[in-house]
Amino acid sequence: MRLIRTLRIILISSLFILGSLLPALMISPVVSANPVSEETTFYFKDAINLDGSSEFDSMYGMSVLVSQDPPTKQNDSEYPPLLRNGLELNSEELVYWLAAWAMQLMGSEYDQYMDLLGGFDIILPHPFRIVETYEHYGNESVEIKGDVAFDLYFLSELTSKLGMNKDEVKVCLYSINGESLLPLPKEIKNTTVQITPKLLPKSIHEQEIILENVNYTLNPGDSLLFSIEIIPGNKTLVDIVLKAIELPVFESFGEKVLDFFENQENNSERPALQELGALIKEVRSMIEDGEFNITTEQVSEIFTAVISSSLVYDSTSHSSSVTLPFKAPGSEDENTKVYYLHDGNEMDEEKPTKDASLDVKLLEESGNWNAPDLNRSKILTKATAYLYISHKDITVFKDKIKVTAVLLYNGNEIASSERELDNTLLDLSLLSDKITIFTFGNLEDIEITHGTHLSLNVYVSNNDTTLNLGLFRDAKLLYDSKEYPSSLKVEFEETDHIKMEAIADPSNEKVVPGGNVKYTISIASDFEDDTVEITTSGFSEEEKEAWAIEISSESVSISTDGMETVNVIVTSDTSAVDGAKLEVTFVAIGSTGKDTFDAVVEVSEDAVEYKIDIVTPSDKTIRHGENDTYHFKIKNKNTGIWSDDYQIEASSEHGWNLSYKKIVKNLYPNNESEIEVTIYVPKNTNVTSDKLTFTVTSENGDISKTVNVTTTIIGPNLLENLYGFFESAAKSLGLDGVFGSYAPHFMVAMLFIIVFFIIIIMIFLLTTKFVKITCLERIKEIFPNEVASFEMIIKNHTRKSRSYEITALVNSESSKWTTSLDLKKITLEPGKSKPVVLMVKPTDLVKPDDWAELNIAVNVEGKKKSEKMATMTMIKGAKAELSFGSVFHWPKTFKEGDRVTSSFKLENKGNASASNVSVVLYVNNEEKNKVEDIIIPAGGYADIKIPWIAVKGKNEIEIVVR
């Protein structure tokens, strides 16, 4: 047992020692060219992500995202990772790899659970496999139809190049449905091929692996997973080592080795040995305590992994990638341009398609290429040239070949970069053809204006061809082919010459179904006169079915330092659901620049405009002691599609009892609910009316509406009041004890008897007369100059001597009539009479058809009662006759514009008063002035003065009296 324990510790420790030493025995790699695909190419990033430069998937956060940009690192990444860097132990890579091995070794215990989770284990760390992800954030689905090409680089150790059982690699393509409740990887296609390294001179080699005829639809939110797994072949060396260390002689040796390395834990001068010693001590302790168990077969697997092939990737020299037959969103960034060098000193964005490359012999000439003119001004922020340079340099004691790349704008140098090419004296290959990266710094945000272009010039800056003849030195820039796509990559930023400012109404950009957001967009240009196009970006065909965008003007002309306004209306569909959202970018593009703003319009309950309608019933009349019901109808007039709840409150002005439903739930827009409110009127009330207040409050909108109705109360009638009075009186008098319930009736009967006698007495008193007035002719018609005389006989109709006062009462306008009595007080004996004459005379103010009613009132002294008799006097033959004499004008002489006064006397020669007389003055048949409402008594006159303004020329005066 002790031998087995020692064996395990020796194997684990030897694993890291030998694994770190074997790569040092291999020949240093020389880099080959990186082929280019016409489709979208994704580059694998460092899966261990020690430098933190890689991004992880958003689904599980366990898989590194592939990149559409080629790698820029100079140093390679490998998987399985190299465990040693020179004499230093790559401890971080080692920890990651050990974790992957631990998960792999323990995975067999949970196979049954992994089966339930489908392909979830594919994204877990694995000692031979990397899995990286592409997340499709496009707005539309894309079809993947055709071959998927993996272009991979492998580092194969000598043990993997020899023997019959060579290493293999398995590549798989998986998908994850982002809309699934349990998003698990689902395999699309896989293939396994043998890794075919070259024996000499290169240990890193390139190999293309094809997944043929892939057919898959990639929907928005879905992910693709790319799996690359090394499958080690059986290694004879591993079997020999395992058999050898089983011999007893290795037991004591192994213990000594372990003790030696374990003691290095305190060796601060050798950090690598210190880390290894701590690791061995920890492993040794775990095995002795039974916390960690590893079989000989598992040790064999680990040892085999150390000396097997590795994937090499994520560097400029070895940019392992996968190419898919579709164009990924974002693969064509308009501000990132890759210009490929072509024949004719031109470079553009078309990738080379030719098999044969062109070259520039840099020791004899320079290379010059011009990019296309920009159609819009941009700010140059970054530029990098990726040039495939094939060279040899087997000279001794000479400087390395220096290649300079110069970036020019308008023929002027704006940046340059120089690279030295390595001496190839010890390189067994005839030529080294690897990609060389030239990074241009200090660009300082240079603006490249529209209609101009960039240029690239490449040359050898220290050229010396003395006794060269291409035998010792040669340098060629290879370009314009699929294998050698030399290029210039430039990155721009937009200028700030075009600026957009948008104001949204409503500001929160939330709408109800069928609602809209209105944007007022101000667009300014500060550089030159420009024509700016307004477009949208990210507005898919599917979204166009649910949203409408109306742009008032899709093109505006803006002068320098000017501004124009464009109105945009974004309208949602009437059938839109809650939470539906449109994320769209509005773009203003001119020749001098570009600006954008992002609009996010969402269908939300927050956009609801709340309104309550109440159908109020008519007022009611209710008898006291009874009840009745009002029927109110409340209507949800909110905008949108959401229901609302309402609180109901009702109150009586006098606090009377009410009954009603106090809450309404889930009332949808344009629907109504009837609320019955019953009011109970007390029996004993003196109130004649009551105001009922009805209030509805929206719980969601926090608004309310109140209406009122008035209840008119029918109180007790006269008979009811009398009966109540008698009932109360009977109780007070104690009659109810004698007559019982008939007590009120007894009191009513007694009252009727008393009232009857009172009425008889009153009738007698009212019908008794103390005087009698007789007039045989009470109506007379006279001329205005006559006097009407009425003779009345006053007779004492009683049995006593009485004195009487006589007065005349005029009921017509007193100013038009005068009255007189020949006697105003008389005394008569019983049964005696005496005549009294009433004289009525009209005044000068009397008018035709006037009449006067006069009453003769005879009052008996000592009595309030009096007797009256009416007379009537009417006018006949009354007529007003108006005339005026000569008219006098002052001043006599006048000119245009002078104020002239015309004067005359207007006389009434008739026998009746003239009223409502109007005098109108005309000058040249045009009314100039008038006097109205003149009253002239009979025989009287009026002095009339009418001012007017003279006109030019003759002034003909006409005076009209109406």
Side-chain angles (χ1 to χ4, degrees):
M1 293 297 295
R2 185 179 179 188
L3 173 62
I4 295 175
R5 180 183 62 81
T6 306
L7 173 63
R8 291 171 178 168
I9 298 173
I10 292 174
L11 287 177
I12 295 174
S13 305
S14 301
L15 163 68
F16 305 119
I17 298 172
L18 295 177
S20 62
L21 295 176
L22 280 174
L25 303 175
M26 312 312 295
I27 301 174
S28 300
V30 180
V31 182
S32 61
N34 182 27
V36 176
S37 169
E38 293 183 353
E39 308 299 340
T40 302
T41 297
F42 299 104
Y43 297 91
F44 293 100
K45 301 289 289 182
D46 184 6
I48 302 179
N49 193 29
L50 295 179
D51 60 359
S53 61
S54 300
E55 297 181 4
F56 287 89
D57 71 285
S58 59
M59 186 70 67
Y60 297 108
M62 299 177 67
S63 174
V64 168
L65 296 178
V66 293
S67 172
Q68 295 185 40
D69 296 325
T72 57
K73 295 191 323 181
Q74 298 297 319
N75 56 306
D76 295 326
S77 293
E78 298 87 7
Y79 202 87
L82 295 180
L83 306 181
R84 185 191 64 83
N85 182 15
L87 294 177
E88 295 295 330
L89 186 66
N90 291 334
S91 56
E92 293 182 347
E93 287 89 343
L94 175 60
V95 170
Y96 180 89
W97 198 55
L98 281 177
W101 263 112
M103 188 166 292
Q104 175 69 11
L105 295 177
M106 292 186 297
S108 58
E109 301 179 15
Y110 304 99
D111 286 344
Q112 55 179 335
Y113 304 109
M114 289 301 177
D115 291 339
L116 294 175
L117 293 178
F120 181 75
D121 62 318
I122 196 68
I123 64 174
L124 298 177
H126 191 280
F128 296 108
R129 179 178 63 223
I130 67 167
V131 178
E132 301 197 358
T133 302
Y134 164 69
E135 296 179 335
H136 180 53
Y137 289 120
N139 295 318
E140 298 179 358
S141 299
V142 295
E143 298 293 331
I144 302 176
K145 291 185 178 180
D147 296 344
V148 175
F150 286 80
D151 187 18
L152 307 176
Y153 292 86
F154 296 99
L155 170 63
S156 298
E157 307 295 352
L158 183 60
T159 53
S160 298
K161 298 178 182 180
L162 303 175
M164 299 298 294
N165 299 316
K166 294 186 177 180
D167 298 335
E168 294 180 327
V169 60
K170 179 181 180 181
V171 295
C172 298
L173 179 64
Y174 294 86
S175 67
I176 293 182
N177 181 2
E179 299 296 327
S180 173
L181 293 177
L182 184 60
L184 295 174
K186 181 179 179 181
E187 184 178 296
I188 300 175
K189 206 156 195 177
N190 75 82
T191 187
T192 301
V193 300
Q194 192 177 73
I195 297 175
T196 57
K198 298 177 183 179
L199 289 178
L200 289 174
K202 298 179 180 180
S203 60
I204 295 181
H205 69 283
E206 180 182 7
Q207 188 168 341
E208 186 178 53
I209 304 169
I210 304 295
L211 293 179
E212 297 180 347
N213 300 323
V214 174
N215 188 351
Y216 181 75
T217 300
L218 186 64
N219 297 312
D222 288 357
S223 299
L224 292 177
L225 275 65
F226 308 100
S227 169
I228 304 171
E229 181 178 350
I230 304 295
I231 303 176
N234 293 329
K235 301 296 187 290
T236 305
L237 176 60
V238 174
D239 296 335
I240 294 173
V241 171
L242 288 177
K243 290 182 179 298
I245 61 178
E246 290 179 356
L247 298 176
V249 71
F250 283 97
E251 180 177 353
S252 59
F253 174 75
E255 290 288 346
K256 293 179 180 179
V257 171
L258 293 178
D259 291 339
F260 169 77
F261 281 106
E262 187 174 326
N263 292 331
Q264 298 302 312
E265 181 185 12
N266 300 318
N267 187 355
S268 58
E269 297 180 358
R270 301 290 299 274
L273 291 178
Q274 189 178 22
E275 291 180 22
L276 184 58
L279 177 63
I280 290 174
K281 182 177 180 180
E282 181 67 22
V283 172
R284 196 175 188 180
S285 174
M286 292 173 64
I287 291 177
E288 290 176 350
D289 295 340
E291 298 177 6
F292 182 72
N293 188 26
I294 182 169
T295 66
T296 303
E297 290 76 11
Q298 292 170 335
V299 172
S300 175
E301 291 179 9
I302 298 175
F303 209 131
T304 301
V306 173
I307 61 176
S308 296
S309 300
S310 296
L311 174 69
V312 183
Y313 63 108
D314 196 20
S315 69
T316 57
S317 300
H318 305 105
S319 52
S320 291
S321 62
V322 59
T323 301
L324 287 88
F326 79 98
K327 187 64 68 177
S331 58
E332 294 182 350
D333 182 2
E334 63 174 346
N335 282 336
T336 299
K337 297 185 179 296
V338 179
Y339 296 123
Y340 295 95
L341 310 188
H342 295 295
D343 192 14
N345 301 110
E346 299 293 335
M347 55 180 172
D348 57 35
E349 295 183 80
E350 292 294 327
K351 294 183 179 180
T353 58
K354 296 184 295 185
D355 293 327
S357 63
L358 301 177
D359 63 68
V360 175
K361 297 177 175 58
L362 294 176
L363 294 180
E364 299 177 7
E365 58 181 330
S366 63
N368 297 279
W369 293 269
N370 296 317
D373 290 346
L374 293 182
N375 58 7
R376 182 172 74 248
S377 300
K378 294 177 181 289
I379 303 297
L380 180 63
T381 60
K382 188 176 181 180
T384 306
Y386 299 88
L387 305 180
Y388 290 87
I389 298 177
S390 173
H391 81 284
K392 68 176 179 180
D393 183 3
I394 57 175
T395 59
V396 182
F397 306 119
K398 295 196 70 172
D399 292 337
K400 295 180 181 180
I401 299 174
K402 295 181 180 180
V403 179
T404 301
V406 179
L407 188 64
L408 302 101
Y409 169 54
N410 282 340
N412 299 317
E413 177 180 333
I414 58 176
S416 64
S417 178
E418 183 180 81
R419 296 293 302 274
E420 290 185 345
L421 305 183
D422 295 334
N423 189 288
T424 60
L425 181 62
L426 300 180
D427 194 340
L428 299 181
S429 61
L430 296 177
L431 287 174
S432 174
D433 50 356
K434 66 178 181 179
I435 190 169
T436 304
I437 299 176
F438 295 84
T439 301
F440 300 99
N442 301 321
L443 293 177
E444 297 180 354
D445 296 337
I446 299 172
E447 181 173 341
I448 311 300
T449 59
H450 61 93
T452 63
H453 62 267
L454 295 170
S455 300
L456 178 67
N457 176 237
V458 183
Y459 61 91
V460 172
S461 57
N462 62 341
N463 188 12
D464 182 5
T465 59
T466 305
L467 299 177
N468 183 16
L469 301 178
L471 299 177
F472 303 102
R473 276 190 168 188
D474 194 9
K476 296 180 181 179
L477 193 161
L478 308 176
Y479 66 100
D480 202 15
S481 70
K482 291 189 292 184
E483 187 176 6
Y484 301 112
S486 292
S487 62
L488 171 67
K489 180 179 180 181
V490 291
E491 297 181 16
F492 296 102
E493 290 181 355
E494 297 294 342
T495 69
D496 59 358
H497 299 316
I498 302 293
K499 293 183 178 179
M500 300 176 72
E501 291 186 0
I503 300 175
D505 180 21
S507 59
N508 63 1
E509 300 177 278
K510 293 183 178 180
V511 297
V512 299
N516 60 60
V517 178
K518 298 178 181 179
Y519 295 94
T520 302
I521 305 175
S522 300
I523 307 174
S525 173
D526 66 357
F527 190 71
E528 62 182 40
D529 294 351
D530 205 347
T531 299
V532 178
E533 305 288 335
I534 296 89
T535 60
T536 60
S537 175
F539 192 32
S540 67
E541 294 299 324
E542 182 179 353
E543 289 173 327
K544 290 179 181 178
E545 297 179 359
W547 299 84
I549 297 179
E550 179 184 349
I551 302 176
S552 63
S553 179
E554 295 183 352
S555 177
V556 292
S557 297
I558 305 176
S559 58
T560 305
D561 294 327
M563 179 181 292
E564 294 292 334
T565 299
V566 175
N567 296 315
V568 176
I569 300 177
V570 180
T571 305
S572 71
D573 189 74
T574 54
S575 60
V577 298
D578 186 16
K581 184 181 293 185
L582 174 66
E583 297 182 4
V584 63
T585 300
F586 291 96
V587 185
I589 301 178
S591 298
T592 60
K594 168 186 174 183
D595 198 10
T596 64
F597 85 88
D598 297 324
V600 181
V601 183
E602 181 181 1
V603 176
S604 171
E605 192 173 357
D606 294 341
V608 172
E609 295 179 4
Y610 291 90
K611 183 180 178 182
I612 303 170
D613 272 0
I614 302 177
V615 179
T616 308
S618 301
D619 295 341
K620 288 183 175 293
T621 300
I622 307 175
R623 292 185 61 84
H624 68 106
E626 297 181 359
N627 63 75
D628 204 347
T629 300
Y630 287 99
H631 297 269
F632 295 88
K633 290 183 179 179
I634 61 174
K635 293 184 177 181
N636 181 344
K637 302 299 289 184
N638 300 345
T639 59
I641 59 176
W642 298 272
S643 65
D644 203 351
D645 298 337
Y646 297 94
Q647 294 286 345
I648 311 299
E649 293 183 7
S651 62
S652 163
E653 178 184 4
H654 296 92
W656 294 344
N657 292 333
L658 304 172
S659 64
Y660 58 93
K661 182 170 66 174
K662 294 180 173 56
I663 190 167
V664 175
K665 289 284 189 179
N666 297 323
L667 187 62
Y668 283 87
N670 298 317
N671 288 351
E672 64 181 35
S673 178
E674 184 174 273
I675 304 297
E676 296 181 350
V677 180
T678 302
I679 182 170
Y680 299 88
V681 180
K683 181 178 181 181
N684 299 317
T685 180
N686 295 322
V687 176
T688 58
S689 68
D690 181 82
K691 182 172 71 173
L692 189 152
T693 301
F694 182 81
T695 301
V696 180
T697 302
S698 165
E699 290 190 354
N700 296 339
D702 196 24
I703 64 168
S704 62
K705 186 172 183 179
T706 300
V707 296
N708 299 305
V709 291
T710 300
T711 303
T712 301
I713 312 303
I714 301 176
N717 56 32
L718 178 60
L719 292 177
E720 290 175 323
N721 285 329
L722 285 175
Y723 184 83
F725 170 76
F726 289 124
E727 185 178 29
S728 176
K731 288 181 180 180
S732 300
L733 297 174
L735 296 178
D736 56 334
V738 178
F739 297 100
S741 60
Y742 294 100
H745 302 85
F746 173 78
M747 289 202 66
V748 171
M750 294 299 296
L751 180 62
F752 270 114
I753 294 172
I754 296 171
V755 169
F756 175 75
F757 283 108
I758 293 174
I759 291 174
I760 291 176
I761 295 171
M762 290 181 65
I763 291 173
F764 174 78
L765 293 175
L766 291 174
T767 56
T768 300
K769 293 186 177 181
F770 297 95
V771 67
K772 182 178 179 181
I773 305 173
T774 303
C775 181
L776 299 178
E777 189 178 3
R778 292 191 293 174
I779 299 176
K780 290 189 176 183
E781 189 176 15
I782 62 174
F783 288 101
N785 55 356
E786 294 180 340
V787 177
S789 176
F790 297 93
E791 184 180 43
M792 300 179 184
I793 304 299
I794 308 300
K795 183 179 181 179
N796 183 353
H797 200 62
T798 67
R799 297 177 182 180
K800 292 175 63 176
S801 177
R802 297 188 182 275
S803 296
Y804 303 95
E805 290 184 358
I806 305 169
T807 57
L809 304 175
V810 181
N811 295 335
S812 300
E813 296 181 40
S814 60
S815 61
K816 295 181 179 182
W817 306 89
T818 60
T819 61
S820 62
L821 290 168
D822 60 344
L823 295 173
K824 293 184 178 181
K825 188 173 182 180
I826 59 175
T827 300
L828 295 176
E829 296 296 326
K832 300 297 182 180
S833 62
K834 192 172 186 177
V836 175
V837 178
L838 171 65
M839 307 294 291
V840 180
K841 181 179 181 181
T843 68
D844 293 339
L845 299 177
V846 72
K847 296 186 292 184
D849 300 326
D850 272 354
W851 57 274
E853 181 183 0
L854 290 93
N855 288 318
I856 295 297
V858 179
N859 296 316
V860 181
E861 286 185 356
K863 302 291 181 180
K864 293 183 178 180
K865 187 176 178 181
S866 65
E867 289 292 325
K868 294 180 181 179
M869 176 173 286
T871 66
M872 181 172 289
T873 304
M874 294 183 294
I875 297 297
K876 64 178 180 179
K879 183 179 180 181
E881 295 181 4
L882 298 176
S883 65
F884 61 89
S886 60
V887 179
F888 177 74
H889 305 286
W890 182 262
K892 294 182 178 181
T893 303
F894 48 80
K895 61 182 181 296
E896 179 185 4
D898 287 352
R899 186 176 186 275
V900 182
T901 301
S902 297
S903 305
F904 60 90
K905 179 182 289 185
L906 181 62
E907 295 181 295
N908 183 2
K909 297 180 179 181
N911 58 6
S913 174
S915 60
N916 297 324
V917 177
S918 297
V919 179
V920 183
L921 184 145
Y922 293 88
V923 177
N924 297 336
N925 295 322
E926 181 180 352
E927 180 181 322
K928 288 295 184 178
N929 205 347
K930 64 180 177 179
V931 181
E932 295 180 309
D933 298 329
I934 303 173
I935 299 175
I936 304 175
Y941 66 91
D943 287 326
I944 307 298
K945 294 183 179 181
I946 303 178
W948 52 277
I949 303 300
V951 298
K952 184 178 180 181
K954 186 177 181 181
N955 288 257
E956 292 186 355
I957 308 301
E958 181 182 4
I959 297 174
V960 177
V961 179
R962 297 190 180 96

